[in-house]
Amino acid sequence: MSKIATLEIDGKKYEFPILIGSENEATIDISTLRSVTGGVTTFDPGFKNTSSCESKITFLDGEKGILRYRGYAIEELAEKSDFLEVSYLLIFGELPTTAQKQQFHKDIQKTALVDEDVKKILDGFPKSAHPMGVLSALTSALTAFNPKSVNVDSEGDMYRAVCKILGKFQVLVAWTYRKEEGLPLAYGHNSLGFVENFLKMMYESPIEDYKVNPLVVEALDKLLILHADHEQNCSTSTVRVVGSAHTGLFASLSAGISALWGPLHGGANQAVIEMLEAIKEDGGDYQKYIDKAKDKNDPFRLMGFGHRVYKNFDPRAVIIKETAERVLNDLKVNDPVLDIARNLAEIALNDEYFKSRNLYPNVDFYSGIIYRAIGIPVPMFTVMFALGRLPGWIAQWKEMRLNKEAISRPRQLYTGETLRPFVEESKR
Ligand code: ACO
């Protein structure tokens, strides 16, 4: 039996249906609120209580530490799948058959060349430019080189657009990095797997062969899977909002990259390493920083600890912790900053302050450590996050268009001046 929510305004009652999701989540459908009440709206800054859309892509339960893509548990996907397959799953809704997967990889590879003129755009950026700004601009510029808009109602057209962006985006990411490092811009090779190829594009030097380390491939593959989607977060909502104006795929993705850039969103992994470096510079006394984090008169917080949504544990952090340990051990990384990270995590996990508040290392704590161990420079951390989140953004953009969602256009509570007469310049 369907449930109803009743709202009373000035003695008048209005009824709204309560929609129940497939995981029994309830949401009040207020889509008729303005019309039936004559203009009343709801006020929800930051959309903390608002379901902005209906989606079949990702399910997340922060209280129980659950994250699923298309119904598959993140733990199983991280263990048994790979990033390419997870991308297909998110975007097209089902795990690919062997033939579909091979074809998907081939079709992505075919598009993994970027117009040589893009290099001229890249040349125009100063070396000091933040890589997220460069990546956002280059992704938007892809529209200029691929001006035909995607017909979302054509499966073939949509499939080709998906392959194109997956193929070209990794080249743009690698070029963004190489530009910063002053390295010649390189291409990958179609004989390699998706992640191996990406690593080759990033790190290959013109003066020696690049050997891909399988452990690094495995760690990066896992990290990309764990970051691939997280339902209606800030950058994903941005992609959907921009795309709701029927803005093209590449331009919508570019907007998502800009949203992810912010330190409150994708920038947290960078903040972790910066904190660890600051502790090292200060003599490496991590206990002092644990005490600072516990001191209510000190604004310092342990970066990479706690999470707004996951209140018991971050399922992604549980998975990646073990990978981080293996990467550090197997690569025999000798880095005092990473030693500080280990000690800090161990102390905090056994400390009553952190235990009683359910504060444990989140995914960004460990992803920062892995990126550092495999030689990715700190300003590139958020770019790596963008590479992982790309299939999620594409899936959400596609779903939004196929759902024929209306243009996103929220209302506001106006608290400014009411009508007043214009004041002549001489009288102001
Ligand atoms: N270090 C020390 N104390 C902390 C920390 C921390 N990292 N995080 C929370 N606390 C304490 C708070 O002081 C508060 O203590 P109190 O109850 O005695 O007042 C209690 O834990 C609850 O904290 P809230 O701020 O209410 O938790 P909230 O859910 O609002 O914040 C957040 C979550 C923003 C992630 C917070 O834990 C934090 O600032 N963490 C560090 C930054 C970080 O790692 N961000 C990345 C998150 S992952 C991501 O966004 C992809």
Side-chain angles (χ1 to χ4, degrees):
M1 209 180 68
S2 58
K3 289 189 189 167
I4 296 288
T6 308
L7 175 70
E8 190 172 324
I9 304 172
D10 294 336
K12 193 162 177 210
K13 286 189 177 159
Y14 303 91
E15 289 190 335
F16 300 96
I18 299 180
L19 309 178
I20 308 292
S22 47
E23 293 284 347
N24 286 325
E25 294 193 310
T27 187
I28 305 168
D29 177 359
I30 53 141
S31 51
T32 58
L33 179 67
R34 279 190 76 244
S35 58
V36 296
T37 58
V40 175
T41 60
T42 53
F43 184 62
D44 186 21
F47 312 125
K48 287 183 187 162
N49 305 282
T50 297
S51 297
S52 61
C53 62
E54 191 187 320
S55 181
K56 292 182 167 46
I57 301 170
T58 290
F59 174 68
L60 168 58
D61 183 330
E63 272 64 43
K64 295 188 187 139
I66 293 175
L67 176 61
R68 295 184 200 136
Y69 299 158
R70 301 282 187 184
Y72 294 103
I74 191 68
E75 292 79 4
E76 254 197 306
L77 290 171
E79 193 196 327
K80 300 177 183 164
S81 191
D82 59 55
F83 180 59
L84 198 68
E85 190 169 82
V86 166
S87 301
Y88 188 99
L89 171 71
L90 283 167
I91 298 168
F92 300 109
E94 295 295 340
L95 286 166
T97 62
T98 307
Q100 283 170 330
K101 189 175 170 180
Q102 282 167 355
Q103 192 59 48
F104 188 47
H105 192 200
K106 263 195 209 144
D107 293 331
I108 290 171
Q109 285 174 328
K110 266 190 256 163
T111 70
L113 286 171
V114 172
D115 195 301
E116 283 291 299
D117 281 348
V118 173
K119 290 182 178 171
K120 291 186 198 149
I121 302 176
L122 193 58
D123 258 354
F125 286 99
K127 249 193 186 170
S128 57
H130 193 286
M132 283 299 274
V134 178
L135 185 66
S136 172
L138 293 185
T139 306
S140 188
L142 282 182
T143 311
F145 294 92
N146 302 271
K148 196 173 159 283
S149 58
V150 184
N151 175 6
V152 283
D153 294 317
S154 153
E155 270 184 36
D157 218 32
M158 195 62 225
Y159 178 81
R160 281 186 290 279
V162 167
C163 293
K164 196 179 268 182
I165 186 65
L166 287 175
K168 295 189 193 306
F169 194 75
Q170 50 169 339
V171 180
L172 298 184
V173 168
W175 283 6
T176 302
Y177 166 73
R178 294 180 77 93
K179 160 89 184 175
E180 285 241 330
E181 297 290 307
L183 290 166
L185 303 183
Y187 279 107
H189 199 279
N190 283 357
S191 60
L192 298 173
F194 187 85
V195 173
E196 285 170 294
N197 192 33
F198 169 71
L199 286 167
K200 174 181 149 65
M201 278 192 282
M202 287 278 283
Y203 293 123
E204 193 176 48
S205 153
I207 53 171
E208 59 188 356
D209 288 338
Y210 175 69
K211 274 215 178 75
V212 183
N213 182 334
L215 180 72
V216 174
V217 173
E218 191 198 318
L220 190 55
D221 205 45
K222 270 202 180 49
L223 269 176
L224 295 176
I225 292 174
L226 298 181
H227 284 94
D229 199 42
H230 215 228
E231 53 119 295
Q232 307 310 318
N233 57 83
C234 178
S235 57
T236 302
S237 299
T238 300
V239 170
R240 282 185 93 121
V241 167
V242 174
S244 76
H246 291 198
T247 301
L249 177 61
F250 302 147
S252 304
L253 294 172
S254 160
I257 295 165
S258 296
L260 188 73
W261 188 359
L264 295 188
H265 190 10
N269 48 18
Q270 181 170 337
V272 170
I273 294 296
E274 283 166 357
M275 173 191 74
L276 295 171
E277 270 170 350
I279 297 176
K280 189 187 122 211
E281 291 304 308
D282 193 26
D285 182 0
Y286 40 81
Q287 186 59 50
K288 176 175 149 191
Y289 284 85
I290 298 267
D291 295 341
K292 269 166 78 66
K294 288 158 64 172
D295 181 356
K296 288 288 148 215
N297 298 316
D298 192 324
F300 175 78
R301 283 190 164 196
L302 273 193
M303 285 295 131
F305 278 72
H307 197 278
R308 174 53 59 80
V309 180
Y310 294 117
K311 288 303 176 199
N312 284 311
F313 64 95
D314 179 342
R316 303 166 301 170
V318 175
I319 298 165
I320 211 62
K321 175 178 187 291
E322 191 252 337
T323 310
E325 296 286 349
R326 273 199 306 132
V327 168
L328 295 191
N329 287 335
D330 293 6
L331 293 182
K332 302 202 178 10
V333 178
N334 186 9
D335 181 346
V337 163
L338 300 181
D339 290 340
I340 292 172
R342 275 192 180 125
N343 290 324
L344 209 59
E346 198 162 314
I347 294 191
L349 285 168
N350 291 305
D351 188 296
E352 204 37 47
Y353 173 94
F354 293 91
K355 275 177 23 187
S356 63
R357 289 169 179 77
N358 284 324
L359 298 171
Y360 42 79
N362 56 48
V363 68
D364 287 321
F365 187 77
Y366 295 111
S367 65
I369 289 174
I370 294 178
Y371 291 145
R372 167 121 177 164
I374 65 176
I376 289 176
V378 173
M380 282 292 291
F381 285 11
T382 320
V383 170
M384 298 305 293
F385 191 159
L387 180 67
R389 187 52 56 87
L390 181 69
W393 288 332
I394 300 170
Q396 302 268 356
W397 185 93
K398 176 171 170 268
E399 181 182 71
M400 176 274 306
R401 289 296 307 274
L402 288 177
N403 282 355
K404 309 257 180 265
E405 281 172 24
I407 185 168
S408 281
R409 203 317 187 173
R411 310 295 297 204
Q412 63 171 7
L413 176 66
Y414 177 71
T415 55
E417 300 288 345
T418 52
L419 182 65
R420 50 183 175 161
F422 182 77
V423 183
E424 294 304 330
E425 193 173 337
S426 60
K427 294 187 181 149
R428 287 173 209 164

